[in-house]
Amino acid sequence: MAKYIMVQGTMSNSGKSFVTAALCRIFHQDGYRTAPFKSQNMALNSFVTEEGLEMGRAQVVQAEAAGIRPCVAMNPILLKPTSHMGSQVIVNGEILGNYSAAEYYKMKKSLIPEIKKALKKLDEEYDIVVIEGAGSPAEINLKENDIVNMGIARLAKAPVLLVGDIDRGGVFASLYGTVKLLDEEEQRMIKGLIINKFRGDVKLLEPGLQMIEEKTDVPVIGVIPMGDIDIEEEDSLAERLEKREKGAGLDVAVIRLPHISNFTDFAVLERMDGISLRYVSQKEELLEPDCLILPGTKNTMADLKWLCETELEREIRRLAASGVPVAGICGGFQMMGKELKDPYGVEEEGEQEGLGLLDCRTVFTREKVRTQEKARVRRGVRGLEALSGQELEGYEIHMGLTENMGGCREFLDICKEQDETGCKENGWISGLCSLEGRVWGAYLHGFFDAPGAAEAFARWAEGQSPHKKAGSLFQDRERTAFSWKEYKEREYDRLADLVRQSVDMKEIYRILETGLEEQQEEQEQQEKQEEQEKEGQPG
């Protein structure tokens, strides 16, 4: 049986995912089979497992930190917002349906059996399970049907570490308020406080640490300094999405769509020397980039309307006409076509004109495509010589199929491991490019992650750009390929080092070992007494 520990936060983005990933790495380094768990995640960044099931990327990052393969048991419920008032609900990796916030609130207790099944699976396979909460456990209007914070801690009998973000200010008030808004049983479940994102001399903080321990009756077990650890961030709160400035090197502009999803697709490009990647949400910010990228989105048709309303659509067309190369991933690929049709009301029932950058159309289907893929860029495709033969790997996750209307070329071959003779189609079009190769779109998330893929893309963009001389930065094909996998492994180790140095790991292991024994004994005694009273026996 696994031992459990839970990380909750005083608010969103306090550092729960960060601390959970750190503990996963530390326990893994110490020789324990460790798995992350989050019963319910709300995010537009998702991942497809080897089994073709969908889960949140935060738990994928934590699984990577733990050195294991991600599976949906680590995130049985995923909510993907489709509007301010509703979400697509995904249970055990498959779509349950689209629900308003009120509808989901009424039904979510019915999903507890699925959460229990997921925990049971992890309990059987791992030594330690690190559970992450969501938002704040002190949302008193939502506590009645809680299935992600104290409700899960109680279900798993998991001791809780509470994380507060000092960088935002008011950390002592948020820690104290969170603890005191919980009932007495829940307060006793919190075994340690962690202050995150601290800057300065910790000695100046010590009087406050002593006072918060006295007021909450919970020990402070660590103060984590603000670090430069670079691991994937979960959602649109990510600071990197705020980068607007045009820097030195190849200027790559990504359109920051309202429903942008899987922006982690561009993580490799952001970290490469010679590339300056920025996010654009207003036409005035677009300027004259060397390359333009349309990212994935949870709502293609709504975001296409937004492009028209903000006049970004007109600027995108102008740049493409002037020779600026344009690439699209998933929903961005769909927007690039001439038309989009939604006969079943998957997004917004009806038809809509696309950007017209590619001679293709997309029809939304009831079934979602979910598959991991290995692919290769076809050789001899005009304009894509820099990408020729490049091997790629990632996953497809989309609700529409795209058809070539005659003026495009397919440029991706999907490779099946069992096919020793080469690559085969997967039954649908995964990527199309314009006849001159200056514009392309693909469904493959992770397009830039494979060794050499980001460099090949940069050579293509640089060679096509009307603003850059071909070969000025990326012409040298002998340039060492950036290894995204090795980079992430180094960052997970740095994360573990940072947390080991700033948190009392001996105390965490003691908490893990002790669990909630006192509460369990009290609960067992109470249940025994209730049973005796029912039978008419004295207590």
Side-chain angles (χ1 to χ4, degrees), residues 3-16:
K3 294 186 181 298
Y4 296 90
I5 193 165
M6 186 168 191
V7 180
Q8 297 186 17
T10 58
M11 66 183 79
S12 294
N13 211 34
S14 62
K16 297 183 295 293

Side-chain angles (χ1 to χ4, degrees), residues 10 22 38 63 90 104-105 147 198 241 279 287 298 305 311 316 365-366 386 416 524 535:
T10 58
K38 188 168 186 175
I90 296 167
Y104 178 69
Y105 182 77
I147 61 169
F198 177 70
L241 290 182
Y279 291 87
L287 305 176
K298 184 62 189 72
K305 288 179 180 177
E311 298 184 5
I316 292 169
T365 55
R366 289 192 178 101
K416 300 297 184 184
E524 289 171 3
E535 295 174 359

Side-chain angles (χ1 to χ4, degrees), residues 1 43 47 62 128-129 162 183 202 219 231 254 259 281 287 336 358 372 392 423 433 435 455 501:
M1 288 182 60
F47 176 82
Q62 292 158 3
I128 299 174
V129 177
L162 182 64
D183 61 40
V202 72
I231 63 173
V254 178
H259 299 92
S281 57
L287 305 176
M336 295 167 77
L358 290 172
Q372 287 192 1
L392 310 167
C423 297
C433 67
L435 295 179
E455 287 84 358
Q501 293 164 10

Side-chain angles (χ1 to χ4, degrees), residues 109-365:
K109 285 187 74 173
S110 67
L111 299 177
I112 290 177
E114 303 302 327
I115 295 172
K116 288 181 176 179
K117 287 178 188 176
L119 278 171
K120 186 174 185 295
K121 176 178 173 60
L122 298 181
D123 186 74
E124 293 170 349
E125 296 181 6
Y126 295 96
D127 303 319
I128 299 174
V129 177
V130 186
I131 304 175
E132 180 186 347
S136 165
E139 302 290 353
I140 54 178
N141 56 314
L142 301 175
K143 280 187 62 178
E144 182 181 356
N145 292 325
D146 172 46
I147 61 169
V148 70
N149 285 309
M150 283 301 179
I152 293 301
R154 190 178 291 108
L155 180 67
K157 297 181 174 60
V160 175
L161 307 177
L162 182 64
V163 180
D165 177 1
I166 195 170
D167 192 50
R168 293 188 184 185
V171 70
F172 294 120
S174 60
L175 288 169
Y176 178 82
T178 300
V179 172
K180 293 303 178 182
L181 281 173
L182 301 175
D183 61 40
E184 289 185 7
E185 180 196 1
E186 292 169 338
Q187 289 183 36
R188 293 199 304 272
M189 294 168 72
I190 299 177
K191 301 301 183 180
L193 305 177
I194 296 175
I195 292 178
N196 192 29
K197 305 179 188 178
F198 177 70
R199 305 172 193 263
D201 186 349
V202 72
K203 289 183 179 180
L204 299 177
L205 196 63
E206 287 176 354
L209 303 182
Q210 183 177 345
M211 291 176 66
I212 196 67
E213 288 182 340
E214 293 171 354
K215 290 181 177 297
T216 62
D217 199 27
V218 182
V220 176
I221 62 171
V223 177
I224 302 174
M226 180 70 79
D228 60 349
I229 308 299
D230 187 12
I231 63 173
E232 285 185 19
E233 294 164 278
E234 183 175 33
D235 52 33
S236 56
L237 289 172
E239 292 181 5
R240 56 177 35 100
L241 290 182
E242 300 301 325
K243 184 181 178 183
R244 300 286 195 272
E245 306 83 20
K246 182 176 179 178
L250 191 71
D251 179 29
V252 179
V254 178
I255 303 298
R256 183 178 176 177
L257 301 167
H259 299 92
I260 186 172
S261 64
N262 292 76
F263 59 83
T264 48
D265 283 338
F266 316 113
V268 181
L269 301 180
E270 292 176 18
R271 291 158 176 84
M272 277 184 58
D273 292 336
I275 293 180
S276 171
L277 188 138
R278 56 194 174 92
Y279 291 87
V280 172
S281 57
Q282 300 179 40
K283 65 176 183 177
E284 293 81 11
E285 299 169 344
L286 200 48
L287 305 176
E288 296 289 332
D290 297 312
C291 179
L292 184 63
I293 297 179
L294 294 167
T297 167
K298 184 62 189 72
N299 196 322
T300 304
M301 297 182 81
D303 283 357
L304 187 54
K305 288 179 180 177
W306 174 83
L307 287 177
C308 296
E309 292 167 358
T310 58
E311 298 184 5
L312 274 166
E313 170 259 352
R314 183 187 303 172
E315 286 298 294
I316 292 169
R317 290 177 189 257
R318 178 188 67 79
L319 289 170
S322 72
V324 172
V326 184
I329 301 293
C330 200
F333 171 32
Q334 294 174 336
M335 290 181 182
M336 295 167 77
K338 288 187 173 178
E339 60 182 3
L340 296 90
K341 295 184 177 182
D342 187 5
Y344 306 110
V346 172
E347 288 192 357
E348 297 184 11
E349 190 171 356
E351 300 182 7
Q352 195 168 338
E353 181 182 347
L355 295 172
L357 305 182
L358 290 172
D359 188 25
C360 61
R361 71 164 65 92
T362 295
V363 178
F364 290 96
T365 55

